[in-house]
Amino acid sequence: MQERIFLSSPTMHGEEQMFVKEAFDTNWVAPLGKNVNELEREMAAYLGVGHAAALTSGTAALHLAIKLAGVKAGDKVFCSDLTFSATVNPVSYEGAEQVFIDSERDTWNMDPRALKKAFENYPDCKCVIVVNLYGTPARLDEIRAICDAHGATLIEDAAESLSATYQGRQTGTFGKYSAISFNGNKIITTSGGGMLLSDDEAAISKARFWSTQSREPFPWYQHEEIGYNYRMSNIVAGIGRGQLLHLEEHRQRKEEIYRTYEAGLRGLPVQMNPYPADSRPNFWLSCLLIDEDCAVTPEQIRLALEKENIEARPIWKPMHMQPVFADRAFVAVESGDGVGGDIFSRGLCLPSDIKMTQEQQAEVIRLIRAQF
Ligand SMILES: *Cc1c(COP(=O)(O)O)cnc(C)c1O
């Protein structure tokens, strides 16, 4: 059996070990140190955002973002519906309630029209979490304007979209608070980790304080708030510094993979995942959407690839269709399970690993074509 072709797996280069070695050699093996400080500084500079807090995961960053937004038990929070559960779980950590907002067809992300409708239904909502799915920016300007008009705080989940830009500006800079992830499958990885981003220096200081168990500045351990153990380790941050040197190269390779699928699947009754004209996605995952009147199913393609040891994956199952969120509201412009439900039923994430060779991708395309 041939070597497995992954959806998206870590790609290391060597510089990572240099930063990790320095941490070892100086015994800075703790959730603090030079790599943590430098990774925060380097990432903030790369993105063009004021401040960054390095954390144990993107989920931790989203959790602290929700706390900073002042979300309290019983509050409603508008969330992208078509996403990974990590976007929306932290709302439950704070005892608040998700209201899921459907996607639009031409970005697969939160539909500004559905968001407006949600504010008509729940005018008191004070927080919105928008995701940039598979590395494609949402209509962040429109969504930001709708939030501003309703006095709601925008949290941007840029976990999948690091290095993507919208109207020339990096994703992860549109939210009052934004989160990125360095999980193993993301465009760059630290094995696990994440970052909270904001222009608000006091907010980022507060996040660092919470992430290190809310220790007040006393000689003894004094606690006046509940804390968390969310701070990134100096070892992990070293991996991140090495990876950041290759972020742009990873993005280019991801785009090449997307373009190769686009050309290779031409003529079939399928579309590639769409993106707004005024954006530059990071093409984290290439996805296809099978035309409505076609009998071929995504599962059929997935299984045909799996048989050849090639990993493909269904589109994220929308949050309003998840048993754990069965009692939550869903706001959509279309009826039934909305646009997200339709994309879930007809879409498939294709292998988008940057170590995949041209020959391997040609084989993936050949196998897909053989299904039609
Ligand atoms: C990966 C991911 C997260 C969570 O990041 P972790 O670092 O794995 O906690 C959040 N949202 C989305 C959309 C993701 O893909």
Side-chain angles (χ1 to χ4, degrees):
M1 173 136 310
Q2 70 157 338
E3 200 183 325
R4 186 159 176 81
I5 301 175
F6 289 103
L7 197 72
S8 184
S9 73
T11 303
M12 293 292 131
H13 300 275
E15 288 97 332
E16 297 87 353
Q17 282 186 331
M18 193 179 79
F19 293 110
V20 170
K21 182 172 187 306
E22 188 185 311
F24 265 79
D25 292 348
T26 55
N27 289 302
W28 281 98
V29 182
L32 78 169
K34 183 179 164 194
N35 284 334
V36 174
N37 299 336
E38 289 298 300
L39 183 62
E40 287 179 345
R41 199 184 52 74
E42 290 161 2
M43 191 56 78
Y46 171 82
L47 293 173
V49 70
H51 305 276
L55 303 170
T56 46
S57 69
T59 309
L62 288 161
H63 184 195
L64 297 186
I66 285 165
K67 284 177 65 80
L68 285 168
V71 170
K72 297 278 180 299
D75 288 356
K76 293 207 165 23
V77 177
F78 296 158
C79 305
S80 290
D81 177 58
L82 185 62
T83 186
F84 177 43
S85 64
T87 306
V88 309
N89 280 335
V91 173
S92 295
Y93 303 166
E94 290 303 306
E97 209 177 287
Q98 299 84 352
V99 172
F100 297 118
I101 312 296
D102 196 15
S103 292
E104 56 176 359
R105 295 209 175 265
D106 45 7
T107 68
W108 292 11
N109 286 310
M110 185 183 280
D111 185 342
R113 294 170 305 164
L115 180 60
K116 278 188 192 156
K117 191 170 159 188
F119 275 115
E120 286 163 19
N121 298 352
Y122 309 96
D124 296 334
C125 177
K126 287 284 168 265
C127 184
V128 174
I129 309 175
V130 65
V131 69
N132 302 310
L133 202 72
Y134 300 131
T136 299
R139 289 192 198 283
L140 294 163
D141 56 339
E142 269 183 69
I143 286 166
R144 179 81 192 238
I146 296 167
C147 290
D148 288 348
H150 291 87
T153 302
L154 179 64
I155 296 173
E156 185 188 354
D157 179 355
E160 299 180 357
S161 68
L162 180 59
S163 80
T165 62
Y166 183 68
Q167 296 177 344
R169 181 169 145 196
Q170 289 282 336
T171 61
T173 67
F174 286 85
K176 170 94 167 73
Y177 311 110
S178 303
I180 53 177
S181 166
F182 306 119
N183 203 342
N185 59 358
K186 299 301 192 312
I187 190 155
I188 59 169
T189 183
T190 60
S191 72
M195 224 175 235
L196 179 69
L197 311 162
S198 180
D199 282 328
D200 182 344
E201 184 170 13
I204 294 296
S205 296
K206 186 82 191 191
R208 290 198 192 105
F209 169 79
W210 282 331
S211 75
T212 49
Q213 308 287 18
S214 298
R215 280 153 52 185
E216 300 290 341
F218 285 78
W220 54 88
Y221 275 41
Q222 171 98 358
H223 304 285
E224 297 171 9
E225 288 180 68
I226 293 296
Y228 302 87
N229 184 2
Y230 278 176
R231 197 73 167 127
M232 181 183 278
S233 111
N234 198 46
I235 298 293
V236 157
I239 303 174
R241 291 182 73 194
Q243 286 271 286
L244 184 52
L245 300 172
H246 296 274
L247 174 55
E248 204 49 42
E249 167 193 328
H250 286 200
R251 198 207 72 83
Q252 275 171 26
R253 187 66 198 105
K254 291 278 189 188
E255 177 160 6
E256 274 170 29
I257 290 170
Y258 180 97
R259 300 289 170 218
T260 303
Y261 280 126
E262 194 177 39
L265 301 176
R266 204 160 281 152
L268 296 182
V270 304
Q271 315 292 325
M272 295 298 292
N273 45 330
Y275 57 90
D278 50 357
S279 75
R280 185 194 77 157
N282 72 359
F283 299 99
W284 175 56
L285 292 188
S286 289
C287 308
L288 61 72
L289 187 70
I290 301 172
D291 287 356
E292 242 164 313
D293 50 7
C294 178
V296 177
T297 67
E299 187 60 5
Q300 178 185 334
I301 299 174
R302 191 186 73 79
L303 291 173
L305 294 174
E306 188 55 50
K307 227 173 107 202
E308 302 300 324
N309 205 19
I310 298 167
E311 184 185 21
R313 193 188 287 164
I315 299 295
W316 298 124
K317 183 174 181 179
M319 291 299 115
H320 82 274
M321 295 169 75
Q322 300 288 353
V324 69
F325 297 123
D327 61 346
R328 297 297 196 246
F330 172 54
V331 182
V333 176
E334 297 189 14
S335 58
D337 284 319
V339 171
D342 182 43
I343 294 169
F344 173 61
S345 71
R346 295 193 286 124
L348 187 70
C349 300
L350 301 174
S352 307
D353 197 279
I354 59 172
K355 293 179 296 313
M356 177 167 62
T357 63
Q358 281 176 358
E359 294 72 33
Q360 285 175 322
Q361 192 177 0
E363 173 67 3
V364 174
I365 290 168
R366 196 190 61 73
L367 288 163
I368 295 171
R369 295 200 74 96
Q371 296 303 310
F372 288 88

